[in-house]
Structures are given as structure tokens and as C-alpha cells.
Amino acid sequence: MEQLQLYDMSLNSRMLLGTALYPSLESMCDAINASQTQMVTVALKRELHGGKNNFFWQSIQQSGCHVLPNTAGCKTADEALMIAKAARQIFNTDFIKLEVIGDNHTLQPNVFELVKAAKTLIDQGFKVLPYCTDDLIVCQQLVNLGCKVIMPLGSYIGSGQGIVNPSSFKLLRSRLKDITLIVDAGIGTPSDAVLAMELGFDGVLLNSAVALAENPPLMADAFRLAIESGRKAYLAKRMPQRELAQASTPLQDTPFWHQIN
């Protein structure tokens, strides 16, 4: 199957996996292995507070995955810029998952500060993956600034509500044909991931749905299969929907070997 394209990086897996909230370090490592992901997200503060015996970071390095640092918790463009610059030095990568939160209860992005931060980061050579709303105008502005990957929310972070507005996702796919679209936030079950992929999204970023499952590694494997299935379904193109039934076996020109006289 074709690869997921993130700027100049190509990945075999279409799942990006978060590294927070797991019940244990072992559970996180097992989930990463089961998911077969090639990129994990890491909050900068975990590295800063890890110290020389940072077993978390050692585990991430041993996984062999690419690291996508994020600006989780930032509320202004200036704060996000500071975190992104530090992340570039610590993780030795130009990739950054840009989050600028505008509300403490919904954790929705502040799109005004987000666009401001994205412009500066792109001008400074960062490869920005912005966590944003599913609003077409906001997404288009980010694309116009130079973002080649857009990560709209399916629903509130950690809510597990799934994709609450599929029509917006359809619109984004139809209007942003050449942009990599990854659903970020709100996914709760593998069926949510299937829907995202069937709507034409290129990938899924997960954290809570896997980490808070009773069996994170098993759930990670379930999502792996779901994402692959949804992508294949999108490429295969579904049958047309109809208002009325249509017989799968037409009667016209059908031979009847047992006729009633």
C-alpha cells in the first residue's frame, strides 16, 4: 500500500501514536510495538523533567520510531514558539506538532494564535503539523502559509466522541486534495478510525483511545487493522447509495432450470 507522506518523510504506517497516559512504561512500549507505528508524539516537558535516568526517553529511542515533539499546553503563539525551538534542539528534528490551546474545558485550539505561530515556525524552517479545528477557512489559511499537513480534530481531546462532523471532513478532503490530512483528537474506537479513513483522510493520531483502554497493546493492534481497512475501502471506492432496493440477482436473462408449467 502507498505510504503516508509527511513533508519529505515517507512512512509505511498511517497511525501516529501518543505516549502519555499509559498505565505503565511496559504497556506503552507494547502498544507501540503492536501498532507498528513509525512515529510517536512526545511532549517536551517529559524530556526536560526526565533527568539522566529517563527510562521513558530511553524506551522511545529503543522503539526506533521517529519522534514528533508537540507544544502541548501552550496557550499563546510566543509560548509555542519557545517550546518548538527547544524541541528542535533536544530532539534534533524540524518536525513539530503545533498546539495552541484556547479553552481549558474543551481544549479547542486558539486558531488566531495558531496561525500566527505557524507562520513564524514555517519561516524558520519548521515542518509544522498543526492541531486545528475542522473549519475549511482556518485549514486553508494554514495551507497558504506553507503547512503541508493539517490535523483537524474529530471531537474534543480525550472525549472519545469520534468524528462529530463528517461533512466537514468530506469538505476538507475535496478542497485540500494535495494536503496530507490526519485526524487529531476525539477518536474513541477503531470504527471511528475506519470512518476517518473512509472519508479520505490520510492518517490518524491516537493517544487516549489506546492508552486508556483496558488492554492498550490489543487496542493498538485493533486500530492498526482498522486504519488499514479504512484506507483500502477508500481506495476501492464504495458502491453508490440508493433510496430503494435493487436486486443483487436480476431476473432478466436468468435461466430457470426448474420451471413450473
Side-chain angles (χ1 to χ4, degrees):
M1 186 176 293
E2 84 285 21
Q3 295 181 310
L4 173 65
Q5 195 69 34
L6 303 179
Y7 289 87
D8 58 351
M9 181 183 293
S10 298
L11 302 176
N12 292 324
S13 172
R14 292 180 176 272
M15 184 196 306
L16 282 64
L17 193 61
T19 55
L21 304 176
Y22 290 88
S24 68
L25 186 60
E26 180 183 10
S27 177
M28 181 197 76
C29 294
D30 289 344
I32 291 174
N33 289 333
S35 71
Q36 296 183 20
T37 184
Q38 293 179 292
M39 177 171 280
V40 295
T41 64
V42 176
L44 178 60
K45 61 183 179 180
R46 299 191 71 162
E47 172 63 10
L48 290 178
H49 298 162
K52 65 179 181 180
N53 293 321
N54 189 345
F55 299 113
F56 166 80
W57 179 235
Q58 292 173 14
S59 298
I60 295 298
Q61 290 178 309
Q62 291 171 2
S63 74
C65 293
H66 298 283
V67 174
L68 176 63
N70 66 54
T71 63
C74 293
K75 295 184 178 180
T76 67
D78 289 341
E79 186 180 5
L81 293 174
M82 179 183 66
I83 294 295
K85 291 176 182 177
R88 174 187 260 173
Q89 295 298 319
I90 293 172
F91 297 109
N92 191 31
T93 180
D94 291 328
F95 280 83
I96 190 74
K97 180 175 182 280
L98 180 60
E99 298 182 28
V100 185
I101 300 301
D103 182 80
N104 289 332
H105 298 287
T106 64
L107 300 181
Q108 286 182 293
N110 181 330
V111 296
F112 305 102
E113 293 292 296
L114 179 72
V115 170
K116 179 181 176 183
K119 182 181 187 306
T120 301
L121 288 172
I122 290 171
D123 289 344
Q124 295 181 3
F126 281 89
K127 296 162 185 172
V128 179
L129 288 75
Y131 159 65
C132 59
T133 64
D134 59 359
D135 181 85
L136 173 62
I137 306 304
V138 172
C139 293
Q140 187 65 68
Q141 283 195 9
L142 291 166
V143 169
N144 292 342
L145 291 175
C147 291
K148 296 182 179 180
V149 181
I150 301 294
M151 304 178 72
L153 55 83
S155 53
Y156 298 146
I157 290 176
S159 69
Q161 294 180 15
I163 300 171
V164 298
N165 197 353
S167 61
S168 289
F169 275 30
K170 286 183 180 179
L171 179 62
L172 290 176
R173 181 69 288 166
S174 66
R175 296 289 295 275
L176 305 177
K177 291 181 172 27
D178 300 324
I179 299 301
T180 299
L181 297 177
I182 299 176
V183 59
D184 180 11
I187 296 296
T189 65
S191 58
D192 297 330
V194 170
L195 175 58
M197 300 304 290
E198 287 182 342
L199 291 172
F201 269 52
D202 299 286
V204 176
L205 191 151
L206 301 160
N207 194 165
S208 300
V210 173
L212 299 181
E214 186 172 324
N215 186 329
L218 185 59
M219 186 61 78
D221 186 44
F223 270 108
R224 176 186 64 83
L225 295 170
I227 291 169
E228 180 179 346
S229 175
R231 181 63 179 178
K232 288 182 177 180
Y234 173 72
L235 294 175
K237 304 303 177 189
R238 60 157 296 151
M239 65 167 284
Q241 290 179 294
R242 304 183 178 94
E243 293 185 3
L244 299 176
Q246 179 171 317
S248 58
T249 305
L251 297 181
Q252 185 177 359
D253 297 327
T254 300
F256 290 89
W257 303 110
H258 302 284
Q259 295 182 358
I260 299 177
N261 294 325

